[in-house]
Coordinates of all heavy atoms in Angstrom, one line a residue:
G181 N 87.1 67.3 100.9 CA 87.6 68.2 99.8 C 88.0 67.3 98.5 O 88.3 66.2 98.7
D182 N 87.9 68.0 97.4 CA 88.2 67.4 96.1 C 89.7 67.6 95.8 O 90.1 68.7 95.5 CB 87.3 68.0 95.1 CG 87.6 67.4 93.7 OD1 88.7 66.9 93.4 OD2 86.7 67.5 92.8
I183 N 90.5 66.6 96.0 CA 92.0 66.7 95.9 C 92.4 67.1 94.5 O 93.3 68.0 94.3 CB 92.7 65.4 96.3 CG1 92.5 65.2 97.8 CG2 94.1 65.4 96.0 CD1 92.8 63.8 98.4
A184 N 91.8 66.6 93.4 CA 92.2 66.9 92.1 C 91.9 68.4 91.8 O 92.7 69.1 91.2 CB 91.5 66.0 91.1
A185 N 90.7 68.9 92.2 CA 90.4 70.3 92.1 C 91.4 71.1 92.9 O 91.8 72.2 92.5 CB 89.0 70.5 92.5
G186 N 91.7 70.7 94.1 CA 92.6 71.4 95.0 C 94.0 71.5 94.4 O 94.7 72.5 94.6
K187 N 94.5 70.5 93.6 CA 95.7 70.6 92.9 C 95.7 71.8 91.9 O 96.7 72.5 91.8 CB 96.1 69.3 92.2 CG 97.5 69.4 91.5 CD 97.8 68.2 90.7 CE 99.2 68.2 90.0 NZ 99.8 69.5 89.9
R188 N 94.6 72.0 91.2 CA 94.6 73.1 90.3 C 94.6 74.5 91.0 O 95.3 75.4 90.6 CB 93.3 73.0 89.4 CG 93.3 71.8 88.5 CD 92.2 71.9 87.4 NE 90.9 71.7 88.0 CZ 90.3 70.5 88.2 NH1 91.0 69.4 87.9 NH2 89.1 70.3 88.7
V189 N 93.9 74.5 92.1 CA 93.9 75.8 92.9 C 95.4 76.0 93.4 O 95.9 77.1 93.4 CB 93.0 75.6 94.2 CG1 93.1 76.9 95.0 CG2 91.5 75.4 93.7
F190 N 96.0 75.0 93.9 CA 97.4 75.1 94.4 C 98.3 75.6 93.3 O 99.1 76.5 93.5 CB 97.9 73.7 94.9 CG 99.2 73.8 95.6 CD1 99.3 74.1 97.0 CD2 100.4 73.6 94.9 CE1 100.5 74.2 97.6 CE2 101.6 73.7 95.5 CZ 101.7 74.0 96.9
D191 N 98.3 74.9 92.1 CA 99.2 75.3 91.0 C 99.0 76.8 90.6 O 100.0 77.4 90.3 CB 98.9 74.4 89.8 CG 99.4 73.0 90.1 OD1 100.2 72.7 91.1 OD2 99.1 72.1 89.3
N192 N 97.8 77.3 90.7 CA 97.5 78.7 90.3 C 97.7 79.7 91.3 O 97.9 80.9 91.0 CB 96.0 78.8 89.8 CG 95.8 78.0 88.5 OD1 96.7 77.9 87.6 ND2 94.6 77.4 88.3
N193 N 97.7 79.3 92.6 CA 97.7 80.3 93.7 C 98.8 80.2 94.7 O 99.1 81.1 95.5 CB 96.3 80.3 94.4 CG 95.2 80.7 93.5 OD1 95.0 81.9 93.3 ND2 94.5 79.7 93.0
C194 N 99.4 79.0 94.8 CA 100.3 78.7 96.0 C 101.7 78.4 95.5 O 102.6 78.6 96.2 CB 99.7 77.5 96.8 SG 97.9 77.6 97.0
A195 N 101.8 77.8 94.3 CA 103.1 77.2 93.8 C 104.1 78.3 93.7 O 105.3 78.0 93.8 CB 102.9 76.5 92.5
T196 N 103.7 79.6 93.5 CA 104.7 80.7 93.4 C 105.6 80.7 94.7 O 106.8 80.9 94.6 CB 104.0 82.0 93.3 OG1 102.9 82.1 94.2 CG2 103.5 82.3 91.9
C197 N 105.0 80.4 95.8 CA 105.8 80.4 97.1 C 106.0 79.0 97.6 O 106.9 78.8 98.4 CB 105.0 81.2 98.2 SG 104.9 83.0 97.8
H198 N 105.2 78.0 97.2 CA 105.2 76.7 97.8 C 105.5 75.6 96.8 O 104.9 74.5 97.0 CB 103.9 76.4 98.5 CG 103.7 77.3 99.8 ND1 104.5 77.2 100.9 CD2 102.7 78.2 100.0 CE1 104.0 78.1 101.8 NE2 102.9 78.7 101.3
L199 N 106.2 75.9 95.8 CA 106.5 74.8 94.7 C 107.1 73.6 95.4 O 108.0 73.6 96.2 CB 107.5 75.4 93.7 CG 107.7 74.5 92.5 CD1 106.5 74.4 91.6 CD2 108.9 75.1 91.6
G200 N 106.5 72.4 95.1 CA 107.0 71.2 95.6 C 106.8 71.0 97.1 O 107.4 70.1 97.7
G201 N 105.9 71.9 97.7 CA 105.7 71.8 99.1 C 106.7 72.5 100.0 O 106.7 72.5 101.2
D202 N 107.6 73.3 99.3 CA 108.6 74.1 100.0 C 108.0 75.4 100.3 O 106.9 75.7 100.1 CB 109.9 74.2 99.1 CG 110.7 72.9 99.1 OD1 110.6 72.1 100.1 OD2 111.4 72.7 98.1
N203 N 108.9 76.3 100.9 CA 108.5 77.7 101.2 C 109.6 78.6 100.7 O 110.7 78.6 101.3 CB 108.2 77.8 102.7 CG 107.5 79.2 103.0 OD1 107.8 80.2 102.4 ND2 106.6 79.2 104.0
A204 N 109.3 79.4 99.7 CA 110.3 80.3 99.1 C 110.6 81.5 99.9 O 111.6 82.2 99.8 CB 109.9 80.7 97.7
V205 N 109.7 81.8 100.9 CA 109.8 83.0 101.7 C 110.4 82.7 103.1 O 111.4 83.4 103.5 CB 108.4 83.7 101.8 CG1 108.6 85.0 102.6 CG2 107.8 83.9 100.5
V206 N 109.9 81.8 103.8 CA 110.4 81.4 105.1 C 110.7 79.9 105.0 O 109.8 79.0 105.1 CB 109.3 81.6 106.2 CG1 109.9 81.2 107.6 CG2 108.9 83.1 106.2
S207 N 111.9 79.6 104.7 CA 112.3 78.3 104.2 C 112.0 77.1 105.1 O 111.7 76.0 104.7 CB 113.8 78.2 103.8 OG 114.6 78.5 104.9
S208 N 111.9 77.4 106.4 CA 111.6 76.3 107.4 C 110.1 75.9 107.4 O 109.8 74.8 107.7 CB 112.0 76.7 108.8 OG 111.4 77.9 109.2
Q209 N 109.3 76.9 107.0 CA 107.8 76.6 107.1 C 107.3 76.1 105.8 O 106.5 76.7 105.1 CB 107.1 77.9 107.6 CG 107.4 78.1 109.1 CD 106.9 79.4 109.6 OE1 107.6 80.3 110.0 NE2 105.6 79.4 109.8
T210 N 107.7 74.8 105.6 CA 107.3 74.1 104.4 C 105.9 73.5 104.6 O 105.3 73.7 105.7 CB 108.2 73.0 104.1 OG1 108.0 71.9 105.0 CG2 109.7 73.4 104.0
L211 N 105.4 72.8 103.6 CA 104.1 72.2 103.7 C 104.3 70.7 103.9 O 103.4 69.9 103.6 CB 103.2 72.5 102.4 CG 103.1 73.9 102.0 CD1 102.2 74.1 100.9 CD2 102.7 74.8 103.2
K212 N 105.4 70.3 104.3 CA 105.7 68.9 104.6 C 105.2 68.6 106.1 O 105.1 69.5 106.9 CB 107.2 68.6 104.5 CG 107.5 68.8 103.0 CD 109.0 68.8 102.7 CE 109.1 69.1 101.1 NZ 110.5 69.4 100.7
Q213 N 104.9 67.3 106.2 CA 104.2 67.0 107.5 C 104.9 67.4 108.8 O 104.3 67.9 109.7 CB 104.0 65.4 107.5 CG 103.0 65.0 108.6 CD 102.4 63.6 108.2 OE1 103.1 62.7 107.9 NE2 101.1 63.5 108.3
E214 N 106.2 67.2 108.8 CA 107.0 67.5 110.0 C 106.9 69.0 110.3 O 106.8 69.4 111.4 CB 108.5 67.1 109.7 CG 109.2 66.8 111.0 CD 110.7 66.4 110.6 OE1 111.5 67.2 110.4 OE2 110.9 65.2 110.5
A215 N 107.0 69.9 109.2 CA 106.9 71.3 109.4 C 105.5 71.7 109.8 O 105.3 72.6 110.7 CB 107.3 72.1 108.2
L216 N 104.5 71.1 109.2 CA 103.1 71.4 109.6 C 102.9 71.1 111.1 O 102.3 71.9 111.8 CB 102.1 70.7 108.7 CG 102.1 71.0 107.2 CD1 101.2 70.1 106.5 CD2 101.7 72.5 107.0
E217 N 103.4 70.0 111.5 CA 103.2 69.6 112.9 C 103.9 70.5 113.8 O 103.5 70.8 114.9 CB 103.8 68.1 113.1 CG 102.8 67.1 112.6 CD 103.4 65.7 112.5 OE1 104.5 65.5 112.9 OE2 102.6 64.8 112.0
Q218 N 105.1 71.1 113.4 CA 105.9 72.0 114.2 C 105.3 73.4 114.2 O 105.3 74.0 115.3 CB 107.3 72.0 113.7 CG 108.2 72.7 114.6 CD 109.7 72.5 114.2 OE1 110.0 71.7 113.3 NE2 110.6 73.3 114.8
Y219 N 104.9 73.9 113.1 CA 104.6 75.3 113.0 C 103.1 75.7 112.9 O 102.7 76.8 113.2 CB 105.3 75.9 111.8 CG 106.8 75.9 111.8 CD1 107.5 75.1 110.9 CD2 107.5 76.6 112.8 CE1 108.9 75.1 110.9 CE2 108.9 76.6 112.8 CZ 109.6 75.8 111.9 OH 110.9 75.7 111.9
L220 N 102.3 74.8 112.4 CA 100.9 75.2 112.1 C 100.1 75.0 113.3 O 99.9 73.8 113.8 CB 100.4 74.4 110.9 CG 99.1 74.9 110.3 CD1 99.3 76.3 109.8 CD2 98.6 74.0 109.2
F221 N 99.5 76.0 113.8 CA 98.7 76.0 115.0 C 97.6 74.9 114.8 O 96.9 74.9 113.8 CB 98.1 77.4 115.3 CG 97.1 77.3 116.4 CD1 97.6 77.2 117.7 CD2 95.8 77.4 116.2 CE1 96.7 77.2 118.8 CE2 94.9 77.4 117.3 CZ 95.3 77.3 118.6
N222 N 97.4 74.1 115.8 CA 96.3 73.1 115.9 C 96.5 72.0 114.9 O 95.6 71.2 114.7 CB 95.0 73.8 115.6 CG 93.9 73.3 116.5 OD1 94.2 72.6 117.5 ND2 92.7 73.6 116.1
Y223 N 97.7 71.9 114.3 CA 98.0 70.7 113.5 C 98.4 69.6 114.4 O 98.8 69.7 115.5 CB 99.1 71.0 112.4 CG 99.0 70.2 111.2 CD1 98.1 70.5 110.2 CD2 99.9 69.0 111.1 CE1 98.0 69.7 109.1 CE2 99.8 68.2 110.0 CZ 98.9 68.6 109.0 OH 98.8 67.8 107.9
G224 N 98.4 68.4 113.8 CA 98.8 67.2 114.6 C 97.7 66.8 115.5 O 97.9 66.0 116.5
T225 N 96.5 67.3 115.3 CA 95.3 66.9 116.0 C 94.3 66.4 115.0 O 94.6 66.2 113.9 CB 94.7 68.0 116.8 OG1 94.1 68.9 115.9 CG2 95.7 68.8 117.6
E226 N 93.1 66.2 115.4 CA 92.1 65.8 114.5 C 91.7 66.9 113.6 O 90.9 66.8 112.7 CB 90.9 65.1 115.2 CG 90.0 66.1 115.9 CD 90.6 66.3 117.4 OE1 91.8 66.1 117.7 OE2 89.7 66.7 118.2
H227 N 92.2 68.1 113.8 CA 91.8 69.3 113.1 C 92.8 69.7 112.0 O 92.9 70.8 111.6 CB 91.7 70.5 114.1 CG 90.8 70.3 115.2 ND1 89.5 70.0 115.0 CD2 91.0 70.2 116.5 CE1 88.9 69.8 116.2 NE2 89.8 69.9 117.1
N228 N 93.5 68.7 111.4 CA 94.5 69.0 110.4 C 94.0 69.8 109.3 O 94.6 70.8 108.9 CB 95.2 67.7 109.9 CG 96.0 67.0 111.0 OD1 96.2 67.5 112.1 ND2 96.5 65.8 110.7
V229 N 92.9 69.4 108.7 CA 92.5 70.1 107.5 C 92.0 71.5 107.9 O 92.2 72.4 107.2 CB 91.3 69.3 106.8 CG1 90.7 70.1 105.6 CG2 91.9 68.0 106.2
E230 N 91.3 71.5 109.0 CA 90.8 72.8 109.4 C 91.9 73.8 109.7 O 91.8 75.0 109.4 CB 89.9 72.7 110.7 CG 88.5 72.1 110.4 CD 88.6 70.5 110.5 OE1 89.7 69.9 110.4 OE2 87.5 69.9 110.5
A231 N 93.0 73.3 110.2 CA 94.2 74.2 110.5 C 94.7 74.8 109.2 O 95.1 75.9 109.1 CB 95.3 73.4 111.2
I232 N 94.7 74.0 108.1 CA 95.2 74.4 106.8 C 94.2 75.4 106.2 O 94.6 76.5 105.7 CB 95.5 73.3 105.8 CG1 96.5 72.3 106.4 CG2 95.9 73.8 104.5 CD1 96.7 71.0 105.6
V233 N 92.9 75.1 106.3 CA 91.9 76.0 105.9 C 92.0 77.4 106.5 O 92.0 78.4 105.9 CB 90.4 75.4 106.2 CG1 89.4 76.5 106.0 CG2 90.2 74.2 105.2
Y234 N 92.3 77.4 107.8 CA 92.4 78.6 108.6 C 93.6 79.4 108.1 O 93.5 80.7 107.9 CB 92.5 78.3 110.1 CG 92.5 79.6 110.9 CD1 91.3 80.1 111.4 CD2 93.7 80.3 111.2 CE1 91.3 81.3 112.1 CE2 93.7 81.5 111.9 CZ 92.5 82.0 112.4 OH 92.4 83.2 113.1
Q235 N 94.7 78.8 107.9 CA 95.9 79.5 107.4 C 95.7 80.1 106.0 O 96.1 81.2 105.8 CB 97.1 78.5 107.3 CG 98.3 79.0 106.6 CD 99.3 79.7 107.5 OE1 99.2 79.6 108.7 NE2 100.2 80.5 106.9
V236 N 95.0 79.4 105.2 CA 94.8 79.8 103.8 C 93.8 81.0 103.8 O 94.0 82.0 103.2 CB 94.3 78.7 102.9 CG1 93.9 79.2 101.5 CG2 95.4 77.6 102.7
A237 N 92.7 80.9 104.6 CA 91.7 81.9 104.6 C 92.2 83.2 105.2 O 92.0 84.3 104.7 CB 90.5 81.4 105.4
N238 N 93.0 83.1 106.3 CA 93.4 84.2 107.1 C 94.9 84.7 106.8 O 95.2 85.8 107.2 CB 93.3 84.0 108.5 CG 91.8 83.7 108.9 OD1 91.0 84.7 109.0 ND2 91.4 82.5 109.0
G239 N 95.7 83.8 106.2 CA 97.1 84.2 106.0 C 97.8 84.3 107.3 O 97.2 84.0 108.4
R240 N 99.1 84.6 107.2 CA 99.9 84.8 108.5 C 101.3 85.3 108.1 O 101.8 84.8 107.1 CB 100.0 83.5 109.3 CG 100.6 83.7 110.7 CD 100.5 82.5 111.6 NE 101.3 81.4 111.1 CZ 101.5 80.3 111.8 NH1 100.9 80.1 113.0 NH2 102.2 79.3 111.3
G241 N 101.8 86.2 108.8 CA 103.1 86.7 108.4 C 103.1 87.2 107.0 O 102.2 88.0 106.6
A242 N 104.1 86.8 106.2 CA 104.2 87.2 104.8 C 103.3 86.5 103.9 O 103.3 86.7 102.7 CB 105.7 87.0 104.4
M243 N 102.5 85.6 104.4 CA 101.5 84.9 103.5 C 100.2 85.6 103.5 O 99.6 85.9 104.5 CB 101.3 83.4 104.0 CG 100.2 82.7 103.2 SD 100.2 81.0 103.5 CE 98.5 80.6 103.0
P244 N 99.7 86.0 102.2 CA 98.5 86.7 102.1 C 97.2 85.8 102.5 O 97.3 84.6 102.4 CB 98.4 87.1 100.6 CG 99.2 86.0 100.0 CD 100.3 85.6 100.9
A245 N 96.2 86.5 102.9 CA 94.9 85.9 103.2 C 94.2 85.6 101.8 O 94.2 86.5 100.9 CB 94.0 86.7 104.0
F246 N 93.6 84.4 101.7 CA 92.9 84.1 100.5 C 91.3 84.2 100.6 O 90.6 84.0 99.6 CB 93.3 82.7 100.0 CG 94.7 82.7 99.3 CD1 95.8 82.6 100.1 CD2 94.8 83.0 98.0 CE1 97.1 82.6 99.6 CE2 96.1 83.0 97.4 CZ 97.2 82.8 98.2
Q247 N 90.8 84.5 101.8 CA 89.4 84.7 101.9 C 89.0 85.9 101.1 O 89.6 86.9 101.1 CB 89.1 85.0 103.4 CG 87.6 85.1 103.7 CD 87.2 84.0 104.6 OE1 87.6 84.0 105.8 NE2 86.4 83.1 104.1
G248 N 88.0 85.7 100.2 CA 87.6 86.7 99.3 C 88.3 86.6 97.9 O 87.8 87.1 97.0
Q249 N 89.5 86.0 97.9 CA 90.2 85.8 96.7 C 89.8 84.5 96.1 O 89.7 84.3 94.9 CB 91.7 85.8 96.9 CG 92.3 87.0 97.6 CD 92.2 88.2 96.6 OE1 92.5 88.1 95.4 NE2 91.9 89.4 97.2
L250 N 89.6 83.5 96.9 CA 89.2 82.1 96.5 C 87.9 81.9 97.2 O 87.6 82.4 98.2 CB 90.2 81.1 97.0 CG 91.6 81.1 96.4 CD1 92.5 80.1 97.1 CD2 91.6 80.8 94.9
S251 N 87.1 81.0 96.5 CA 85.8 80.6 97.1 C 86.1 79.7 98.3 O 87.2 79.1 98.4 CB 84.9 79.9 96.1 OG 85.6 78.6 95.8
N252 N 85.1 79.6 99.2 CA 85.3 78.7 100.3 C 85.5 77.2 99.8 O 86.3 76.5 100.4 CB 84.1 78.7 101.2 CG 84.0 80.0 102.0 OD1 85.0 80.7 102.1 ND2 82.8 80.3 102.5
K253 N 84.9 76.9 98.7 CA 85.1 75.5 98.2 C 86.5 75.3 97.7 O 87.1 74.3 97.9 CB 84.1 75.4 97.0 CG 83.9 74.0 96.5 CD 82.8 74.0 95.5 CE 82.5 72.6 94.9 NZ 81.5 72.6 93.9
D254 N 87.0 76.3 97.0 CA 88.4 76.3 96.6 C 89.4 76.1 97.8 O 90.4 75.4 97.7 CB 88.8 77.5 95.8 CG 88.3 77.5 94.3 OD1 87.9 76.4 93.9 OD2 88.4 78.5 93.7
I255 N 89.1 76.8 98.8 CA 90.0 76.8 100.0 C 89.9 75.4 100.7 O 90.9 74.8 101.0 CB 89.6 77.9 101.0 CG1 89.9 79.3 100.4 CG2 90.3 77.7 102.4 CD1 89.5 80.5 101.3
V256 N 88.7 74.8 100.8 CA 88.6 73.5 101.3 C 89.3 72.5 100.4 O 90.0 71.6 100.9 CB 87.1 73.1 101.5 CG1 86.9 71.6 101.7 CG2 86.5 73.9 102.6
N257 N 89.2 72.6 99.1 CA 89.8 71.7 98.2 C 91.4 71.8 98.3 O 92.1 70.8 98.3 CB 89.3 71.9 96.8 CG 87.9 71.5 96.6 OD1 87.4 70.7 97.4 ND2 87.2 71.9 95.6
V258 N 91.9 73.0 98.3 CA 93.3 73.2 98.3 C 93.9 72.7 99.6 O 95.0 72.1 99.7 CB 93.8 74.6 98.0 CG1 93.6 75.6 99.2 CG2 95.2 74.6 97.5
A259 N 93.1 72.8 100.7 CA 93.6 72.3 102.0 C 93.6 70.8 102.0 O 94.6 70.1 102.5 CB 92.7 72.8 103.1
A260 N 92.6 70.2 101.3 CA 92.6 68.7 101.2 C 93.8 68.2 100.4 O 94.5 67.2 100.7 CB 91.3 68.2 100.5
Y261 N 94.2 69.0 99.3 CA 95.3 68.6 98.5 C 96.6 68.7 99.3 O 97.5 67.8 99.3 CB 95.4 69.5 97.3 CG 96.6 69.4 96.5 CD1 96.9 68.2 95.7 CD2 97.6 70.4 96.4 CE1 98.0 68.0 95.0 CE2 98.8 70.2 95.7 CZ 99.0 69.0 95.0 OH 100.1 68.9 94.2
V262 N 96.8 69.8 100.1 CA 98.0 70.0 100.9 C 98.2 68.9 101.9 O 99.2 68.3 102.1 CB 98.0 71.4 101.6 CG1 99.1 71.5 102.6 CG2 98.2 72.5 100.5
K263 N 97.1 68.6 102.6 CA 97.1 67.5 103.6 C 97.5 66.2 102.9 O 98.4 65.4 103.4 CB 95.8 67.3 104.3 CG 95.7 66.2 105.3 CD 94.4 66.2 106.1 CE 94.4 65.1 107.1 NZ 94.3 63.8 106.5
D264 N 96.9 65.9 101.7 CA 97.2 64.6 101.0 C 98.6 64.6 100.6 O 99.3 63.6 100.8 CB 96.3 64.5 99.8 CG 96.6 63.3 98.9 OD1 96.3 62.2 99.4 OD2 97.2 63.5 97.9
Q265 N 99.2 65.7 100.1 CA 100.6 65.7 99.7 C 101.5 65.6 100.9 O 102.6 65.0 100.8 CB 100.8 67.0 98.9 CG 100.2 67.0 97.5 CD 100.6 65.9 96.6 OE1 99.9 64.9 96.4 NE2 101.8 66.0 96.1
S266 N 101.1 66.2 102.0 CA 102.0 66.2 103.2 C 102.1 64.7 103.6 O 103.2 64.3 104.2 CB 101.5 67.1 104.3 OG 100.3 66.5 104.9
E267 N 101.1 64.0 103.4 CA 101.1 62.6 103.9 C 101.8 61.6 102.8 O 102.4 60.6 103.2 CB 99.7 62.1 104.1 CG 99.1 62.7 105.4 CD 97.6 62.6 105.5 OE1 96.9 62.0 104.6 OE2 97.0 63.0 106.5
S268 N 101.7 62.0 101.6 CA 102.3 61.1 100.5 C 103.7 61.6 100.1 O 104.4 60.9 99.3 CB 101.4 61.0 99.3 OG 101.2 62.3 98.7
G269 N 104.2 62.7 100.7 CA 105.6 63.1 100.5 C 105.9 64.1 99.3 O 107.0 64.3 99.0
W270 N 104.9 64.8 98.8 CA 105.0 65.7 97.7 C 105.8 65.1 96.5 O 106.4 64.1 96.7 CB 105.7 67.0 98.2 CG 104.8 67.8 99.1 CD1 104.8 67.8 100.5 CD2 103.8 68.8 98.7 NE1 103.8 68.7 100.9 CE2 103.2 69.3 99.9 CE3 103.4 69.3 97.5 CZ2 102.2 70.2 99.9 CZ3 102.4 70.2 97.5 CH2 101.8 70.7 98.6
P271 N 105.8 65.7 95.4 CA 106.4 65.1 94.2 C 108.0 65.3 94.2 O 108.4 66.3 94.8 CB 105.9 65.9 93.0 CG 105.2 67.1 93.5 CD 104.9 66.9 94.9
Ligands
LIG292 C1 102.8 79.2 105.4 C2 99.5 77.0 102.6 C3 100.0 80.7 99.4 C4 103.8 82.3 101.8 C5 101.9 78.3 104.9 C6 101.3 77.2 105.7 C7 100.4 76.6 104.9 C8 100.3 77.3 103.6 C9 99.6 75.3 105.2 C10 101.8 76.7 107.1 C11 103.1 76.0 106.8 C12 104.0 75.8 108.1 O1 103.8 76.6 109.0 O2 104.9 74.9 108.0 C13 99.4 77.8 101.4 C14 98.4 77.6 100.4 C15 98.5 78.7 99.6 C16 99.6 79.5 100.0 C17 97.5 76.4 100.3 C18 97.6 79.0 98.4 C19 96.2 79.0 98.5 C20 101.1 81.4 99.7 C21 101.7 82.4 98.9 C22 102.8 82.9 99.6 C23 102.9 82.1 100.8 C24 101.2 82.9 97.5 C25 103.8 84.0 99.3 C26 103.4 85.2 98.8 C27 103.8 81.7 103.1 C28 104.7 82.1 104.2 C29 104.3 81.2 105.2 C30 103.3 80.2 104.7 C31 105.6 83.2 104.2 C32 104.8 81.2 106.7 C33 103.9 82.1 107.4 C34 104.3 82.4 108.9 O3 105.1 83.3 109.1 O4 103.8 81.7 109.8 N1 101.2 78.4 103.7 N2 100.0 79.0 101.2 N3 101.9 81.2 100.9 N4 103.0 80.6 103.4 FE1 101.6 79.8 102.3

């Protein structure tokens, strides 16, 4: 995925709830590595990016599904950005 393109997708579609990698709705379920490992199904395996892609495409709980709202390319790119930021510690 293209991380720079993914940042633009994130700023336009995700930052309302996930500014700085936090979660404004369910505060424990952040986009930080420890939370992803704890809460995101299939994370912490070799499927990290795919797990984020799945969450974004399908949504879960109070998070809306983005399949049909975003292109598959945008979803892959935003997942790459989230994974990169989770590893580098968010801003
Ligand atoms: C959870 C990514 C947009 C609300 C998550 C998780 C990821 C993620 C990776 C799992 C985090 C974890 O379990 O620790 C994204 C991305 C978005 C986006 C990349 C944009 C494309 C939004 C928006 C909202 C939102 C706009 C609010 C309207 C939530 C909530 C959860 C969550 C409530 C917890 C869901 C649950 O109950 O399991 N998000 N998100 N997200 N997100 Fe988002």
Side-chain angles (χ1 to χ4, degrees):
D182 179 335
I183 290 168
K187 181 186 184 337
R188 291 192 291 276
V189 176
F190 187 89
D191 289 347
N192 291 327
N193 296 280
C194 320
T196 45
C197 295
H198 292 297
L199 188 65
D202 285 333
N203 191 325
V205 183
V206 181
S207 62
S208 57
Q209 284 175 253
T210 72
L211 308 186
K212 294 167 185 172
Q213 193 159 46
E214 206 177 85
L216 294 176
E217 283 169 0
Q218 187 173 350
Y219 297 114
L220 193 61
F221 175 72
N222 221 14
Y223 205 80
T225 69
E226 70 274 23
H227 304 300
N228 292 353
V229 174
E230 288 86 346
I232 300 172
V233 166
Y234 186 89
Q235 169 88 17
V236 173
N238 296 284
R240 191 168 66 171
M243 176 167 154
F246 284 88
Q247 186 111 69
Q249 303 291 320
L250 293 176
S251 68
N252 289 342
K253 192 173 180 182
D254 282 347
I255 292 174
V256 166
N257 289 342
V258 79
Y261 173 71
V262 168
K263 178 173 181 287
D264 176 73
Q265 291 299 105
S266 75
E267 288 166 357
S268 62
W270 289 94

